[in-house]
Amino acid sequence: MRLPFLSLVAATLITAPLAAQYGTFDPAAVKGAKGSTLIVVLDAGDSPYNRAITDAVKSHWKFSPAYEFVTVAELGAQPIDPAKTYLLKTRRTDPVKFEGTFLTLVKGWKQKKGEALEQTGNAFTSIGTDHDLAYLLIDTKAIDEQNMAALLNLYVKHIQDYLKQVEAGKITDKTTADRLYDGRTRLIREGELLIAKEHLDTSLPDEGAIKAEYTAPMRVVPMSAVADAAKSGSSGTLVSDAVITIGDHKNKHCFKRVFNAGTGELMYLRDDAAIFGKKEGFIAEDLKAITRAR
């Protein structure tokens, strides 16, 4: 059954050059969204994502004064409101590099007559990037199947931090965003870094291999310990995150990130082509970059 403004099967995916975590660079767009009601779009049916994003927004959303929750089906039964913002999942692809799912904050817009919101797997595929305020590549399988839903606490905090930096004029383009994140990287060494064993490439098989490259406080832990740190929000703890994009061995990328578990600030990011089973997680070069950061 086709609902108004919603197709349950996507015909095509948005095709445009993509990056893993950015958004608008316009401070006016951020300021204009601050007074809006946030509409949080949940999966159809019950899911770990639904429970975690609900808790994360209720606990950490400070950007705008009010929020509501709707399902993808309920969103399809109502027109998009230009006066509201929407936190939802999008599925986008770069024909050269990769395909991925993003947690995306979009500004509402006036829909054209007959304009449909198409989605697959609870992620929208027809929302243009011109509506984006902020977005972050996520691993929906890890969230729903590997008990990593608690990372949504960090993602919600990160999106708001990104908006804060844009509004303040500290992020004006991709270059200044990267420069800001690079400036935070050295601070990782001042806290304890928790790296999930599952986030390590096979070239770093254990804690001993890591400590040969990284001498600041760190521990290799199960992914559940990273999830616990993300949920508790310990300010002195930094946690790993690694997302491998959808695709085959020819065009997969692995995005490595470190977040401050307390503030959700992005402290480190790097991506590598993850082809033929290599570089599928943190590698020695990541640890060297964190060690040498100034």
Side-chain angles (χ1 to χ4, degrees):
M1 177 179 175
R2 182 182 174 89
L3 296 170
F5 305 111
L6 179 66
S7 170
L8 298 180
V9 179
T12 59
L13 294 174
I14 293 289
T15 56
L18 297 178
Q21 55 272 309
Y22 298 100
T24 185
F25 300 122
D26 181 4
V30 175
K31 292 176 183 177
K34 290 190 75 169
S36 64
T37 296
L38 175 71
I39 306 299
V40 183
V41 183
L42 305 176
D43 294 347
D46 189 28
S47 69
Y49 174 84
N50 284 358
R51 296 188 292 273
I53 196 67
T54 299
D55 290 344
V57 169
K58 287 182 176 180
S59 298
H60 305 299
W61 188 257
K62 311 297 181 185
F63 174 72
S64 52
Y67 50 79
E68 301 172 3
F69 298 91
V70 302
T71 66
V72 292
E74 289 170 335
L75 182 65
Q78 56 188 267
I80 294 295
D81 188 339
K84 296 179 180 179
T85 52
Y86 296 80
L87 185 65
L88 42 74
K89 289 185 284 188
T90 57
R91 180 88 165 265
R92 292 169 176 168
T93 186
D94 181 324
V96 177
K97 286 187 176 182
F98 59 85
E99 179 183 331
T101 300
F102 298 79
L103 181 64
T104 308
L105 180 70
V106 302
K107 183 71 173 69
W109 68 97
K110 185 176 181 180
Q111 288 176 290
K112 298 176 182 179
K113 185 177 180 180
E115 180 182 356
L117 290 182
E118 298 175 340
Q119 61 95 2
T120 182
N122 296 298
F124 292 88
T125 59
S126 61
I127 297 177
T129 57
D130 54 319
H131 302 304
D132 291 353
L133 291 171
Y135 59 85
L136 178 73
L137 182 70
I138 63 174
D139 185 339
T140 54
K141 184 174 182 179
I143 289 171
D144 287 334
E145 300 178 16
Q146 299 174 15
N147 299 317
M148 291 303 288
L151 282 179
L152 287 164
N153 289 284
L154 302 185
Y155 299 163
V156 166
K157 293 177 183 178
H158 162 74
I159 282 175
Q160 293 174 96
D161 178 66
Y162 179 86
L163 297 172
K164 176 182 176 182
Q165 306 308 324
V166 172
E167 184 180 16
K170 295 181 179 179
I171 290 179
T172 57
D173 53 22
K174 182 179 180 298
T175 299
T176 52
D178 291 342
R179 188 180 301 136
L180 184 144
Y181 300 139
D182 288 345
R184 294 173 174 173
T185 299
R186 62 181 177 81
L187 301 177
I188 295 173
R189 304 194 300 270
E190 297 182 4
E192 182 181 40
L193 174 60
L194 302 184
I195 302 181
K197 183 175 177 61
E198 294 84 348
H199 291 160
L200 294 175
D201 180 63
T202 54
S203 61
L204 290 174
D206 51 37
E207 191 167 302
I210 292 178
K211 288 186 174 179
E213 305 288 350
Y214 186 79
T215 57
M218 64 77 55
R219 284 186 291 143
V220 175
V221 297
M223 279 188 29
S224 59
V226 167
D228 289 343
K231 189 171 184 178
S232 65
S234 174
S235 59
T237 303
L238 297 308
V239 296
S240 68
D241 190 20
V243 180
I244 299 176
T245 58
I246 303 165
D248 59 26
H249 64 274
K250 296 179 181 179
N251 61 3
K252 285 195 301 183
H253 278 241
C254 179
F255 288 83
K256 285 77 64 74
R257 309 182 291 220
V258 174
F259 289 95
N260 183 312
T263 65
E265 291 174 315
L266 182 60
M267 311 293 287
Y268 174 77
L269 75 162
R270 170 178 172 148
D271 77 284
D272 288 299
I275 56 177
F276 301 105
K278 297 181 179 180
K279 298 184 178 181
E280 294 187 339
F282 280 76
I283 58 177
E285 283 74 11
D286 294 301
L287 303 176
K288 291 177 181 176
I290 297 172
T291 297
R292 296 170 181 172
R294 295 293 183 266

